[in-house]
């Protein structure tokens, strides 16, 4: 049986009919829904200076979600660490860990958009030193004890009761090597850097991490009429794909996102798949244990009413069937 996760970045292109406030409120309420249904995690993402209003304050959203939920993991993926003062970052993560009772998982990333760095008076060239420093810094900070940083004494309080697992994300060989040296785990943006990470772990005398975990390539939706739902979903999915593809092209990085010439070619790619409830049940029954199944209910600013149609069908027609077939456990 797969593990269920949901993701939010709160883009809102100009053609959206929902307000920003409606999208933000829906994110919190849908995270409560996912918690109720024993989803493993909710992912909140971060970017800055985006014309479509991509969420810049994932830690604020994570705190709101944590205050309304009790079980679901809250993944900050990715957390663009070099854009943040390390002391304040450590303090925020410590408080988030306390609010969530240890459910926050930061995925530390270097970032890749020059515009984001320029907006705070930094450059992409500042990333290396910061990323080499940040994981050891956070480990020291979470002890709650004073330590020296850049010639001054620093003490981060309160000390978290549960020290967050420190994950690194990235799309380069340097990121993979750094993660092997410093982090608890590595999530590559594209699969080929996993082997770099794995071999470096072995070279350093650390555990062999084995084959890469399967990275989900599809976001799923459920609808009674998939064709009709796709027509409403497609502009939002096209916006997400095109926006990420443009950023990757401008920054010269590898990316799983691509340009598509029309809605049908995007649908044929399988990156966004709308299934009937029965087809979703059939798919779930073929999935491996712990294989992730990702929902993105508000993708590209999709109206919350349409998002809830999708989620209610999961609740009413999918979950009862798979719960019965798995002795009540579908997490």
């Amino acid at each position: 049986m797969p593990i269920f996760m949901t993701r939010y970045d709160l883009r809102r292109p100009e053609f959206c009919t929902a307000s920003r406030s409606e999208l933000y409120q829906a994110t919190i309420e849908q995270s409560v829904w996912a918690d109720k249904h024993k989803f493993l995690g909710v992912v909140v993402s971060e970017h800055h200076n985006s014309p479509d209003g991509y969420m810049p304050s994932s830690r604020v959203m994570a705190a709101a979600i944590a205050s309304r939920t009790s079980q679901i993991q809250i993944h900050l993926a990715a957390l663009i660490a070099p854009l943040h003062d390390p002391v304040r970052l450590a303090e925020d993560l410590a408080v988030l860990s306390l609010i969530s009772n240890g459910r926050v998982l930061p995925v530390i990333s270097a970032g890749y958009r020059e515009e984001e760095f320029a907006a705070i008076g930094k450059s992409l060239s500042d990333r290396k030193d910061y990323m080499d420093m940040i994981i050891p810094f956070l480990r020291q900070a979470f002890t709650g004890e004073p330590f020296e940083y850049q010639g001054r004494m620093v003490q981060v309080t309160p000390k978290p009761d549960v020290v967050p697992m420190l994950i690194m994300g990235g799309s380069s060989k340097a990121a993979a090597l750094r993660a092997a040296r410093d982090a608890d785990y590595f999530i590559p943006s594209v699969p080929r850097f996993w082997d770099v990470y794995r071999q470096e772990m072995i070279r350093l005398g650390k555990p062999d991490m084995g084959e890469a975990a399967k990275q989900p390539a599809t976001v799923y939706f459920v609808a009674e009429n998939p064709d009709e739902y796709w027509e409403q979903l497609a502009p939002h999915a096209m916006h997400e794909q095109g926006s990420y593809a443009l950023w990757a092209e401008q920054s010269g990085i590898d990316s799983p996102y691509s340009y598509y010439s029309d809605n049908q070619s995007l649908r044929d790619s399988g990156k966004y798949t709308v299934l009937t409830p029965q087809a979703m049940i059939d798919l779930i029954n073929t999935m491996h244990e712990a294989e992730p199944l990702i929902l993105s209910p508000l993708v590209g600013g999709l109206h919350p009413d349409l998002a809830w149609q999708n989620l209610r069908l999961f609740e009413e027609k999918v979950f009862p069937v798979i719960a019965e077939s798995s002795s009540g456990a579908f997490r």
Side-chain angles (χ1 to χ4, degrees), residues 12-293:
R12 187 190 176 278
E14 290 184 358
F15 60 80
C16 288
T17 55
S19 69
R20 294 199 188 281
S21 181
E22 287 174 321
L23 294 173
Y24 274 70
Q25 294 298 321
T27 296
I28 297 168
E29 295 302 328
Q30 289 172 14
S31 297
V32 172
W33 177 91
D35 188 54
K36 171 187 172 184
H37 291 287
K38 298 182 173 64
F39 277 44
L40 175 67
V42 54
V43 177
V44 288
S45 300
E46 166 193 356
H47 272 293
H48 305 259
N49 286 48
S50 178
D52 60 12
Y54 196 119
M55 180 165 52
S57 299
S58 60
R59 285 170 286 169
V60 174
M61 178 58 79
I65 292 170
S67 72
R68 296 282 308 280
T69 58
S70 60
Q71 301 178 77
I72 197 167
Q73 294 175 358
I74 304 166
H75 297 230
L76 303 174
L79 175 56
I80 308 174
L83 299 177
H84 305 290
D85 176 83
V87 176
R88 290 306 307 274
L89 178 61
E91 291 172 339
D92 284 356
L93 292 177
V95 170
L96 266 176
S97 184
L98 292 165
I99 293 172
S100 67
N101 197 24
R103 291 182 287 126
V104 63
L105 278 79
V107 181
I108 305 295
S109 169
Y112 59 89
R113 297 182 64 231
E114 184 67 56
E115 301 95 319
E116 295 179 292
F117 285 75
I120 61 168
K122 291 188 175 183
S123 167
L124 290 178
S125 62
D126 297 324
R127 293 178 300 172
K128 181 184 183 304
D129 288 346
Y130 186 104
M131 292 299 290
D132 285 342
M133 168 278 297
I134 190 59
I135 295 291
F137 177 92
L138 291 173
R139 294 197 194 283
Q140 282 191 293
F142 292 148
T143 68
E145 298 296 327
F147 63 99
E148 186 175 335
Y149 170 66
Q150 293 187 343
R152 63 184 188 272
M153 294 306 296
V154 171
Q155 184 176 15
V156 170
T157 60
K159 176 183 175 181
D161 294 336
V162 178
V163 174
M165 182 180 182
L166 297 175
I167 304 168
M168 273 192 165
S171 56
S172 68
K173 179 179 178 180
L177 295 175
R178 185 183 294 116
R181 184 187 69 217
D182 295 336
D184 296 318
Y185 192 67
F186 179 55
I187 300 177
S189 299
V190 288
R192 64 190 179 93
F193 294 111
W194 176 265
D195 287 339
V196 177
Y197 169 69
R198 180 185 181 186
Q199 293 304 316
E200 182 68 1
M201 288 284 287
I202 294 170
R203 190 188 72 81
L204 294 172
K206 297 182 178 183
D208 183 348
M209 301 303 290
E211 297 297 322
K214 183 175 181 181
Q215 294 294 318
T218 300
V219 175
Y220 288 100
F221 302 83
V222 172
E224 295 287 11
N225 185 329
D227 291 339
E228 183 180 285
Y229 198 89
W230 172 254
E231 287 304 310
Q232 299 175 85
L233 168 67
H236 302 273
M238 284 283 284
H239 176 79
E240 178 177 79
Q241 283 290 316
S243 298
Y244 276 125
L246 176 63
W247 287 355
E249 180 180 79
Q250 291 173 336
S251 304
I253 64 164
D254 291 324
S255 170
Y257 294 93
S258 304
Y259 293 111
Y260 291 90
S261 59
D262 54 66
N263 292 349
Q264 188 59 49
S265 63
L266 176 58
R267 190 177 190 182
D268 292 343
S269 75
K271 291 182 176 180
Y272 305 86
T273 298
V274 186
L275 300 174
T276 65
Q278 185 57 55
M280 177 59 71
I281 292 166
D282 294 342
L283 171 70
I284 289 169
N285 286 333
T286 69
M287 296 180 76
H288 301 299
E289 185 73 21
E291 184 177 344
L293 191 151

Side-chain angles (χ1 to χ4, degrees), residues 272-318:
Y272 305 86
T273 298
V274 186
L275 300 174
T276 65
Q278 185 57 55
M280 177 59 71
I281 292 166
D282 294 342
L283 171 70
I284 289 169
N285 286 333
T286 69
M287 296 180 76
H288 301 299
E289 185 73 21
E291 184 177 344
L293 191 151
I294 305 297
L295 311 186
S296 185
L298 300 174
V299 60
L302 188 68
H303 197 285
D305 290 349
L306 283 171
W308 279 115
Q309 286 180 29
N310 162 43
L311 298 182
R312 294 305 182 203
L313 279 176
F314 269 99
E315 181 174 28
E316 295 166 8
K317 296 194 174 182
V318 176

